[in-house]
Amino acid sequence: MKKLNIFFIADTINDNFQINKIINDIEFKHISLNILYTNNSKINNKLNFNSFFFNIVYWVENKFLNSNCTLTKNKKIKSKKIFYLSKKNLKVIKFDKDGKSIKTDIIIDLINFDFKSKILLKSKYGIWYINHNVKNYFDIGFFDCLNNKKIYKISLINKKFIKNKYSYLALEDAYLNNKINFWQRNRQFILEKSCILIVKNLNKIYHNLNFNYFPLRQNFNKKDIKIFDILFYFFKKYFIYLYNKVKYSFLIKKNNLWSIHISKFNKNFLFKRDSVLKKYIRFNSNTNEEWADPFIFFSNNKEYIFFENNDLDNNKAKISVGEYINNKLCNVKDILRFKYHLSYPFVWKHKKDFYLMPETSENKSITIWKATHFPYKWKIYKTIFNNEFCCDSTIIKDKKKINWLFTNKSNDSSKDATNELYIYKIIGNFKNLIPHKMNPVIIDCRIARNAGYLNIRNKLLRVSQINDSTGYGIGLNINNITELNINSYKEKIVNQILPKNFINADGLHHISNSNKYIVFDVRYRN
């Protein structure tokens, strides 16, 4: 299927940023687009109050509290037809002069609007909407922010009208890390990530992939925003924020620092949680530095450790490498240093050449380096994903010797790559990249972000971070990849490694191995 007829149902033109994001990101080259604006704010007086509250919160948080929320400008949409629903014609909507229905493949309802028109009930793929588990579309993300919820769950629902009643089936769930500091930031974040979930499943139609429907499990928060909730929100988010800012300005700031550790390799750590990495050596970093994201690489009878070397004076990291000799990290030298932040130095060998692919998301690209004198001198080999925010890119070779690029992207304003995992099939030595047909293959902050590399014989593994709104470095998942091809991807968690296994630690987020050793990072409390 190369052409798609889409009918959007939106509240007002304020939803245009969602519509634009969806139609810009889907793979269909030919789209017939129609939009119905319900103008809910004109029908429901309560929403006028909510809109007033919304604007006050948005203005305060951006003016004084640095919420990092920038609402996408509502650009005009080039549409075949645009309709406006008034209070007088809630039950019957006429789309053209003769009252005929519009032919459409799919209806995307951005607000889960309870309309009665039978004209809209006929579409090839039904009516899709995002279930936010809230009674009122306006309330999205408010109570989750107010109550500091760790995870925000959304579900893409297919609603069909069969035998004079609706049937509901879920297409896919997604799990997001709430932006608990400020509601407006959280709401925009959730809506943008909802668009990604919709786009992913529209692309399934494009690629003729099957949907795995499952029963909808609705658990609505029936509570509306009340005056007390607003006052409590102002106190909890604004007053406490300002109080902490003043308090910390009079205190000496202390950092919880990351350190690199090494342990002898034992494949049993994959499945025995209680015996994980008990005997280890900790490397002490230089003054005003912290070391993290270690990759160990064996070559020429030497064990090299590549790592992120963060300068605490300016909080800007470079890439360094050292040799593991007699239980010490020796000959440490900086190999890549720029004005932007670098981390996650994934290193590999192709034929006789060595390559390095650090994270350079701050530079909005992925740059691959080739060694001119391994391991200390490098030159640029290739730059990919220009103007894209990519993190923690890793190459995994499957059982058929096919190389796959796993990377975490953020294709929205949040610049949070924790939630989505993208896969690309590598042709040649990065001569071409073929995107996976189910990209992003994972939308789940608890398992999506890459966390190093484990190379163990007869095992196809991916390591991922455990993340939610409480912070960074909660722990690691070790995932067994059970299915990997251009049409599908499946993995299963076989173990987790948590910082509680280390004395006075509050973070752990990276691991890699050679045939003899495992290296990992741990963050300690001061």
Side-chain angles (χ1 to χ4, degrees), residues 277-413:
L277 310 176
K278 283 190 174 180
K279 295 181 180 180
Y280 57 84
I281 297 171
R282 177 182 175 183
F283 300 130
N284 294 317
S285 60
N286 298 328
T287 305
N288 292 328
E289 292 180 351
E290 64 173 343
W291 295 350
D293 288 0
F295 284 95
I296 188 165
F297 193 86
F298 181 77
S299 179
N300 296 324
N301 294 318
K302 294 181 180 180
E303 298 280 358
Y304 296 99
I305 299 177
F306 295 78
F307 59 96
E308 170 195 346
N309 186 342
N310 189 35
D311 187 334
L312 296 175
D313 290 333
N314 56 23
N315 196 29
K316 192 75 68 174
K318 55 194 174 184
I319 302 300
S320 300
V321 64
E323 297 179 45
Y324 181 57
I325 303 173
N326 296 328
N327 297 332
K328 294 181 180 180
L329 189 58
C330 306
N331 302 323
V332 174
K333 296 181 181 180
D334 301 337
I335 55 174
L336 295 178
R337 185 172 188 171
F338 300 101
K339 294 181 179 179
Y340 51 84
H341 181 87
L342 296 100
S343 61
Y344 203 89
F346 181 82
V347 60
W348 76 98
K349 187 177 182 180
H350 178 71
K351 296 182 179 179
K352 294 183 179 180
D353 294 317
F354 298 91
Y355 296 88
L356 180 65
M357 182 169 55
E359 185 220 309
T360 53
S361 59
E362 194 173 302
N363 198 40
K364 292 185 178 180
S365 65
I366 296 177
T367 302
I368 302 170
W369 298 76
K370 183 178 178 180
T372 56
H373 189 277
F374 183 84
Y376 295 112
K377 293 184 179 180
W378 302 81
K379 66 178 181 179
I380 293 177
Y381 171 71
K382 193 167 190 177
T383 299
I384 57 177
F385 297 116
N386 281 308
N387 297 317
E388 293 194 54
F389 191 89
C390 302
C391 291
D392 301 351
S393 302
T394 308
I395 298 173
I396 296 178
K397 182 178 290 187
D398 67 16
K399 295 178 180 179
K400 296 180 180 180
K401 307 299 181 182
I402 298 173
N403 287 322
W404 300 85
L405 176 67
F406 288 65
T407 190
N408 300 108
K409 283 188 182 183
S410 179
N411 289 326
D412 51 62
S413 64

Side-chain angles (χ1 to χ4, degrees), residues 101-306:
S101 62
I102 293 175
K103 293 180 181 180
T104 182
D105 292 313
I106 187 166
I107 298 169
I108 298 177
D109 184 359
L110 296 175
I111 58 173
N112 193 14
F113 183 65
D114 186 20
F115 53 84
K116 305 298 181 183
S117 173
K118 291 185 178 181
I119 297 175
L120 286 177
L121 302 179
K122 297 178 181 179
S123 65
K124 184 176 180 180
Y125 295 99
I127 303 170
W128 288 9
Y129 72 94
I130 296 290
N131 176 26
H132 291 282
N133 289 319
V134 292
K135 183 180 178 182
N136 193 324
Y137 167 76
F138 179 82
D139 298 343
I140 291 172
F142 176 79
F143 289 103
D144 305 270
C145 177
L146 183 66
N147 298 318
N148 295 336
K149 295 292 185 181
K150 294 181 180 180
I151 300 290
Y152 189 93
K153 178 185 176 182
I154 58 176
S155 301
L156 179 60
I157 308 302
N158 187 353
K159 179 169 64 174
K160 288 187 176 181
F161 195 73
I162 303 174
K163 295 181 179 180
N164 294 320
K165 66 177 183 180
Y166 284 116
S167 68
Y168 299 85
L169 288 173
L171 282 78
E172 187 173 352
D173 292 334
Y175 298 85
L176 310 175
N177 53 333
N178 273 307
K179 305 304 177 187
I180 59 176
N181 291 334
F182 302 108
W183 171 42
Q184 286 309 304
R185 184 186 177 201
N186 196 37
R187 190 175 189 275
Q188 179 178 326
F189 173 75
I190 291 167
L191 291 176
E192 288 187 303
K193 296 301 183 185
S194 298
C195 294
I196 293 172
L197 184 58
I198 292 171
V199 168
K200 173 182 177 177
N201 284 273
L202 287 175
N203 287 337
K204 284 185 180 181
I205 297 175
Y206 177 81
H207 292 295
N208 295 315
L209 299 177
N210 295 325
F211 293 100
N212 298 318
Y213 296 105
F214 55 92
L216 170 62
R217 297 177 292 274
Q218 297 196 71
N219 183 24
F220 286 116
N221 180 359
K222 297 181 179 180
K223 185 178 179 182
D224 288 320
I225 298 176
K226 305 293 184 183
I227 293 295
F228 173 79
D229 298 316
I230 297 171
L231 295 176
F232 185 41
Y233 176 83
F234 284 151
F235 174 80
K236 188 173 183 179
K237 298 302 175 183
Y238 297 174
F239 177 78
I240 294 179
Y241 170 84
L242 294 173
Y243 169 77
N244 288 332
K245 192 171 183 179
V246 171
K247 182 179 72 172
Y248 290 135
S249 66
F250 290 99
L251 297 175
I252 298 175
K253 186 177 180 180
K254 294 183 178 181
N255 294 313
N256 293 349
L257 302 181
W258 291 95
S259 298
I260 296 175
H261 302 63
I262 190 167
S263 176
K264 287 186 177 180
F265 174 74
N266 183 347
K267 65 180 180 180
N268 291 331
F269 84 94
L270 288 176
F271 307 103
K272 293 184 179 180
R273 182 174 299 185
D274 295 335
S275 62
V276 170
L277 310 176
K278 283 190 174 180
K279 295 181 180 180
Y280 57 84
I281 297 171
R282 177 182 175 183
F283 300 130
N284 294 317
S285 60
N286 298 328
T287 305
N288 292 328
E289 292 180 351
E290 64 173 343
W291 295 350
D293 288 0
F295 284 95
I296 188 165
F297 193 86
F298 181 77
S299 179
N300 296 324
N301 294 318
K302 294 181 180 180
E303 298 280 358
Y304 296 99
I305 299 177
F306 295 78

Side-chain angles (χ1 to χ4, degrees), residues 5-17:
N5 297 317
I6 308 178
F7 194 102
F8 281 102
I9 301 173
D11 179 10
T12 64
I13 58 172
N14 291 326
D15 292 327
N16 278 1
F17 83 91

Side-chain angles (χ1 to χ4, degrees), residues 15-16 19-20 23 33 35 37 75-79 82:
D15 292 327
N16 278 1
I19 298 173
N20 274 314
I23 62 177
L33 180 64
I35 306 169
Y37 292 116
K75 299 178 181 179
K76 292 183 179 179
I77 296 175
K78 296 179 180 179
S79 174
I82 296 179

